[in-house]
Amino acid sequence: MTAAVPLLPGIVATHVPTARLTQQVLHPAGVDPSGGEALLFVHGNVSSAAFWQPQLLTLDPRWRPLAVDLRGYGGTEPLPIDARRGPGDWADDLSALVDALGLERVHLVGWSMGAGVVLRFLLDRPEAVASVALVAPVSPYGFGGTAGASGRLVHPDGTGSGGGAANPAFVAALAAGDTTADTPVSPRSVLRAHYVAPGSLPLDPRLEDVYVAAMLSTRTGPDHYPGDAVRVDAWPGTAPGERGVLNTMAPTVHDLSGITELALKPPVLWVRGELDPIVSDASAYDLAHLGSLGAVPGWPGAEAFPAQPMITQTRAVLDRYAATGGSYREVLMPGVGHSPHVERPEEFALALVEHLTHPAAAPSNTPETPGPGDILT
């Protein structure tokens, strides 16, 4: 059992029994998590709801901000993850939480992998969604194994994605509860090098310890992170399995582009960092891009296995979303990496409140590029 993640003063953890599992929800001490509308934050991979604590404390309580731990993370019951359903287990858990709390509608905020959970929930229950904010979101076509703006599969079985794409040394560091920065693959080192841009350092030491503890709350193994894998002859030798975290993002099970066909299209905010090394058209975690750099031997070349253009894919889907009656606003944060809410919390909060109070009008995309101290007006 992992240790509890520290809570900042003013944050309360509530355990909510639902029809599927007991889930931990963080919220400000004066906010009742049940009933009415709420602003619900969903974290990304190798993290927990604790990454949202500064937002929970700084946002006006009238928005009723809540942050949930997904199964396999934080204080939520760590049931196995059936990756054959893509992010379906997590989306169904979210749906069960909304029902258990008696929430009428939710404004959803999803970071990285959590954005995929949010979009799957939107596909399943569009009538329950007031708005959507995607923060450094995983591509609508998953992570790894696709090419082009349309998310074309490089191999029918999703080769190049899934549990086998994880760094075993990083998985071992998570399992060992490594809190040091002694190696490049320790969670603290990965936080500093990949979750945030170099210009965002140093983080507040107290918050950094909270974030490292949140990362270490990740359950490891075939049913959790990274999941199982299938060995194949084709480069890079691994295809997705059926269990665990990374397999939920295999392109064979993670196609969320159907949001463009919804009759109900809530407004979308897309926030991303200019220097994001994880979700990028040249991602440091995409085996095809790493192969092009020589980091994964035997790469068959750009024609046979191109890098996944993650940003291009997200924009293509959101452009179709806008062209079919929806709307979205894109906010690009210069000098920011994979965690806009961690690196520029004030600017992020202002962009989110602007989205909640003055969403982009349909059908449109209203892009913005905030400068230092300047955000949407």
Side-chain angles (χ1 to χ4, degrees), residues 39-62:
L39 176 60
L40 185 54
F41 292 89
V42 183
H43 65 82
N45 190 18
V46 191
S47 64
S48 81
F51 269 81
W52 296 114
Q53 290 187 87
Q55 283 69 47
L56 299 182
L57 291 172
T58 57
L59 285 168
D60 191 320
R62 73 187 175 97

Side-chain angles (χ1 to χ4, degrees):
M1 183 69 180
T2 61
V5 180
L7 300 181
L8 300 180
I11 296 293
V12 173
T14 297
H15 286 85
V16 182
T18 75
R20 290 175 57 82
L21 76 172
T22 297
Q23 303 181 57
Q24 178 168 279
V25 175
L26 304 186
H27 55 91
V31 169
D32 182 352
S34 60
E37 287 196 1
L39 176 60
L40 185 54
F41 292 89
V42 183
H43 65 82
N45 190 18
V46 191
S47 64
S48 81
F51 269 81
W52 296 114
Q53 290 187 87
Q55 283 69 47
L56 299 182
L57 291 172
T58 57
L59 285 168
D60 191 320
R62 73 187 175 97
W63 294 111
R64 302 185 57 242
L66 317 173
V68 61
D69 284 330
L70 298 174
R71 70 165 68 190
Y73 304 89
T76 285
E77 189 177 354
L79 297 186
I81 298 163
D82 182 356
R84 295 171 297 180
R85 308 182 60 236
D89 267 354
W90 289 314
D92 286 354
D93 292 346
L94 202 62
S95 183
L97 178 70
V98 167
D99 291 342
L101 291 175
L103 301 176
E104 296 167 6
R105 288 205 312 167
V106 284
H107 297 273
L108 293 172
V109 184
W111 171 37
S112 194
M113 181 187 77
V117 178
V118 162
L119 290 183
R120 177 62 181 266
F121 182 93
L122 173 62
L123 280 168
D124 294 342
R125 294 184 63 174
E127 74 287 346
V129 181
S131 72
V132 171
L134 308 174
V135 185
V138 63
S139 165
Y141 301 110
F143 202 101
T146 65
S150 64
R152 172 181 61 84
L153 288 169
V154 177
H155 291 276
D157 61 359
T159 286
S161 68
N167 183 326
F170 176 61
V171 177
L174 284 175
D178 184 356
T179 63
T180 74
D182 293 343
T183 71
V185 296
S186 75
R188 191 178 299 272
S189 295
V190 170
L191 171 70
R192 293 174 177 176
H194 293 165
Y195 280 38
V196 303
S200 297
L201 295 174
L203 294 174
D204 179 316
R206 179 181 63 160
L207 284 176
E208 182 176 276
D209 287 343
V210 170
Y211 297 147
V212 170
M215 295 172 74
L216 291 172
S217 78
T218 303
R219 274 59 168 197
T220 57
D223 284 320
H224 295 290
Y225 181 82
D228 62 346
V230 177
R231 292 187 177 184
V232 294
D233 292 334
W235 185 91
T238 185
E242 298 183 343
R243 303 152 60 197
V245 171
L246 294 187
N247 295 311
T248 70
M249 291 179 279
T252 49
V253 294
H254 191 288
D255 182 350
L256 305 174
S257 61
I259 62 169
T260 62
E261 307 304 316
L262 290 172
L264 295 174
K265 290 185 171 74
V268 173
L269 171 67
W270 176 21
V271 182
R272 63 186 185 91
E274 175 190 33
L275 304 179
D276 189 341
I278 297 176
V279 174
S280 166
D281 283 358
S283 170
Y285 286 70
D286 176 21
L287 293 182
H289 176 65
L290 291 173
S292 73
L293 300 177
V296 181
W299 180 59
E303 185 173 343
F305 209 131
Q308 180 184 5
M310 301 175 186
I311 301 298
T312 298
Q313 291 173 350
T314 295
R315 179 168 289 108
V317 169
L318 290 180
D319 281 348
R320 291 205 306 274
Y321 186 84
T324 53
S327 66
Y328 78 97
R329 173 181 288 127
E330 179 182 355
V331 174
L332 176 66
M333 292 191 172
V336 170
H338 188 59
S339 311
H341 55 301
V342 171
E343 300 169 73
R344 301 289 186 271
E346 296 86 3
E347 292 181 17
F348 173 78
L350 286 170
L352 180 58
V353 170
E354 177 75 10
H355 165 66
L356 296 172
T357 56
H358 298 87
S364 74
N365 167 32
T366 53
E368 302 283 346
T369 303
D374 181 31
I375 196 72
L376 304 174
T377 57

